[in-house]
């Protein structure tokens, strides 16, 4: 009897051990498969599925962002975004200035030149870049911007640039209006300058620094602040409890962290580049300099027949490029009919009984300023806020309109923001009930240009989560995202706010909000396609077109 009991006990123990082994093996396989899915499946810039190991995706160690806790889906998305933004610049060691890209000796040629083109036809342009010794370059990596335009018609549209990595580039345009259409191509930065910008993005993310004033009674101290701070000095941890967005200040010597009064831009670091590197950033030489054509730089476009035009408009899908074009100084989106709000009464009628929230940087503050200037009944209520900082509030009591503006949380390079007004967009969105009379517009980009891309991805991930929750509880809420825009560049501005940096941020924003159920005001194309000089804060005619597009989403044409 005891022998049988012992055998049964031994059998049960062996069975239990076997079950544990099977469970461990299965868990290990699941974790392995999950890791393989994360590291292997994402899309590179050519649209192909590749492995992160093949593409050499590496995370920036800044502030420990490579160790942040992400779900498999979030990790895969971040890998995809970083892969899509890999800029192919060969590591050739130091390149002498004379061997860098010279826009004045580079040239472009219209490839498929013909006697006439029809509206809707594709135009292809080949760009050959040369160095300052007038020798063809054998590698790519230059940042180009291109557009077609008809000055007499005040018409313009952007082109798509493809880098062949051998010193030649092809630009694709869609001809969208009839008449004489001219081609313009500009070198924004040579590839040698892009290498410098990449190095600054990876190694000098703190080249813009921030400060906060701490005060208690008659004692006050000012210390430096940032997303993270080097060294071993004591810190005040102001990381947001809800979003997890990190923010730190050096702890004052005599005051507690709770005595922080405000936040402001400290300044810009100097001496970031060597004399040799500085040669790649010269106004009128290699920053936003036009590239001339070899041969004709224009084509003649004839109208399509009515039936062909209708087919052209119906064939445009969600991936339409360009998203629109200017004609007679009015933006013409290709996917829907945009209304023109040329009279203040039109705007009042659209916004009647609505609450409008504007969150973000100074480029969306322009919308608040335009609306309160153009619409007489929309009266700004003085909250005693610092000029150009906010928060701002405007009210039209007669038509029951409430308009609010609030800047996004740090990092933000404003003069002075009171500590209790430092609010993250995601948290503000979580406090909005929403509904058919609620409108939200967001613009968050310019103040992230100096940081590694992971910092911006994290911020948008938090905002997107809050937007999805808002639309889930109140599906009729209108949410509009304003994209980045091109701006004027000089040698110093290029190191902090280059169009190349903002192009990356713009690409991330579009990808992360694709399919979320928000509307997009394409400020990037609206500045590049226009004839006016690029500005961080575009001129009124461009802002007016942005507002017309925004309001067309709020009050679309009835069909």
């Amino acid at each position: 009897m005891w022998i049988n009991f012992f055998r049964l006990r031994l059998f049960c123990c062996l069975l239990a051990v076997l079950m544990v082994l099977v469970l461990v093996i299965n868990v290990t396989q699941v974790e392995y498969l999950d890791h393989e899915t994360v590291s292997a499946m994402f899309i590179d810039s050519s649209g192909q599925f590749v492995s992160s190991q093949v593409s050499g995706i590496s995370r920036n160690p800044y502030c420990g962002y490579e160790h942040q806790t992400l779900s498999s889906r979030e990790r895969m998305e971040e890998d995809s975004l970083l892969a899509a933004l890999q800029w192919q610049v060969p590591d050739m060691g130091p390149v002498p200035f004379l061997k860098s890209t010279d826009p004045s000796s580079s040239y472009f040629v219209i490839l498929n030149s013909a006697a006439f083109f029809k509206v809707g036809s594709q135009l292809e342009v080949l760009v050959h870049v040369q160095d300052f010794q007038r020798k063809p370059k054998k590698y790519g990596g230059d940042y180009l911007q291109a557009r077609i335009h008809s000055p007499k018609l005040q018409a313009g549209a952007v082109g798509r640039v493809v880098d062949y990595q051998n010193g030649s580039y092809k630009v694709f345009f869609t001809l969208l209006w009839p008449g004489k259409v001219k081609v313009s191509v500009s070198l924004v930065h040579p590839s040698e300058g892009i290498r410098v910008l990449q190095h600054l993005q990876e190694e000098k993310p703190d080249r813009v620094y921030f400060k906060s004033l701490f005060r208690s009674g008659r004692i006050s101290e000012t210390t430096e602040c940032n997303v993270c701070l080097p060294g071993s000095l004591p810190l005040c941890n102001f990381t947001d409890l809800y979003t997890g967005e990190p923010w730190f200040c050096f702890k004052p010597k005599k005051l507690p962290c709770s005595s922080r009064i405000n936040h402001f831009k400290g300044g810009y670091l100097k001496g970031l580049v060597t004399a040799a590197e500085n040669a790649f950033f010269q106004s009128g030489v290699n920053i936003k300099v036009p590239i001339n054509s070899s041969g004709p730089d224009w084509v003649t476009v004839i109208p399509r027949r009515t039936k062909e035009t209708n087919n052209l408009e119906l064939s445009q899908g969600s991936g339409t490029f360009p998203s629109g074009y200017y004609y007679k100084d009015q933006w013409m989106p290709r996917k829907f009919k945009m209304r023109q709000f040329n009279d203040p009464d039109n705007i009042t009628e659209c916004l009647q009984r609505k609450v409008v929230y504007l969150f973000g940087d100074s480029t969306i503050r322009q919308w608040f300023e335009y609306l309160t200037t153009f619409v007489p009944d929309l009266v700004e209520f003085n909250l005693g806020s610092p000029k150009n900082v906010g928060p701002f509030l405007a009210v039209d009591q007669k038509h029951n309109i409430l308009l609010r503006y609030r800047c996004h949380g740090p990092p933000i390079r404003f003069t002075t923001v009171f500590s209790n007004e430092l609010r993250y967009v995601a948290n503000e969105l979580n406090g909005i009930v929403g509904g058919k009379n609620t409108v939200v517009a967001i613009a968050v980009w310019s103040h992230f240009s100096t940081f590694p891309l992971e910092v911006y991805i994290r911020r948008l991930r938090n905002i997107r989560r809050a937007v999805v929750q808002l639309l889930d509880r109140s599906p009729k809420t209108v949410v509009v995202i304003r994209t980045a825009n091109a701006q004027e560049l000089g040698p110093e501005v290029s190191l902090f706010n280059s169009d190349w940096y903002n192009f990356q941020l713009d690409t991330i924003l579009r990808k992360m909000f694709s399919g979320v159920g928000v509307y997009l005001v394409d400020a990037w194309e609206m500045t590049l396609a226009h004839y006016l000089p690029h500005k961080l804060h575009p001129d009124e005619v461009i802002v007016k077109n942005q507002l017309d597009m925004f309001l067309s989403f709020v009050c679309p044409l009835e069909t």
Side-chain angles (χ1 to χ4, degrees), residues 136-154:
K137 292 188 68 177
K138 302 299 183 183
Y139 56 90
D142 302 297
Y143 179 37
L144 308 178
Q145 291 174 349
R147 70 185 183 105
I148 49 175
H149 54 109
S150 298
K152 291 183 178 180
L153 296 174
Q154 295 179 307

Side-chain angles (χ1 to χ4, degrees), residues 50-68:
V50 296
S51 166
S52 61
Q53 296 171 346
V54 173
S55 293
I57 296 298
S58 60
R59 298 180 181 279
N60 195 299
Y62 178 67
C63 297
Y65 267 74
E66 79 275 29
H67 300 306
Q68 63 178 320

Side-chain angles (χ1 to χ4, degrees), residues 101-108 127-129 144 183-187 289-293:
T101 304
D102 175 17
S104 64
S105 64
S106 303
Y107 62 94
F108 70 84
V127 184
H128 296 279
V129 297
L144 308 178
V183 175
S184 292
V185 180
S186 295
L187 173 76
V289 176
I291 294 175
N292 294 320
S293 64

Side-chain angles (χ1 to χ4, degrees), residues 177-361:
W177 63 87
K180 182 178 179 179
V181 177
K182 183 175 178 170
V183 175
S184 292
V185 180
S186 295
L187 173 76
V188 182
H189 294 300
S191 57
E192 296 77 18
I194 295 295
R195 287 179 60 191
V196 177
L197 296 180
Q198 287 177 324
H199 173 76
L200 292 176
Q201 189 177 48
E202 294 165 2
E203 304 296 334
K204 297 287 186 180
D206 56 350
R207 57 193 183 278
V208 177
Y209 57 95
F210 306 87
K211 292 187 176 183
S212 275
L213 172 67
F214 295 78
R215 180 187 296 149
S216 179
R218 295 182 178 182
I219 303 174
S220 63
E221 294 182 59
T222 299
T223 70
E224 187 175 335
C225 308
N226 219 315
V227 174
C228 69
L229 294 168
S232 57
L233 292 176
L235 299 175
C236 291
N237 186 351
F238 295 113
T239 298
D240 185 66
L241 296 176
Y242 299 99
T243 63
E245 292 285 355
W247 193 255
F248 299 89
C249 296
F250 285 122
K251 190 178 186 303
K253 294 179 180 179
K254 299 179 181 180
L255 296 174
C257 296
S258 58
S259 63
R260 183 175 64 151
I261 299 297
N262 61 27
H263 161 97
F264 57 95
K265 179 184 69 178
Y268 299 87
L269 293 180
K270 305 295 183 181
L272 293 169
V273 296
T274 65
E277 292 172 334
N278 199 50
F280 303 134
F281 299 94
Q282 300 183 62
S283 297
V285 177
N286 48 20
I287 299 178
K288 287 203 173 183
V289 176
I291 294 175
N292 294 320
S293 64
S294 175
D297 63 353
W298 59 274
V299 297
T300 300
V301 183
I302 60 175
R304 280 178 175 260
R305 295 191 297 271
T306 304
K307 184 177 180 181
E308 291 177 322
T309 303
N310 291 337
N311 291 337
L312 174 67
E313 293 177 353
L314 291 171
S315 67
Q316 295 162 6
S318 59
T320 302
F321 182 88
S323 67
Y325 61 99
Y326 283 105
Y327 191 77
K328 295 183 179 178
D329 241 359
Q330 293 183 353
W331 184 249
M332 314 288 284
R334 298 177 65 200
K335 290 168 62 178
F336 74 105
K337 296 291 186 182
M338 189 176 88
R339 296 177 59 186
Q340 300 298 319
F341 292 82
N342 298 325
D343 190 283
D345 291 341
N346 300 144
I347 298 179
T348 299
E349 182 183 359
C350 173
L351 296 182
Q352 191 166 4
R353 294 186 297 277
K354 286 182 170 55
V355 179
V356 182
Y357 298 90
L358 305 178
F359 296 118
D361 54 38

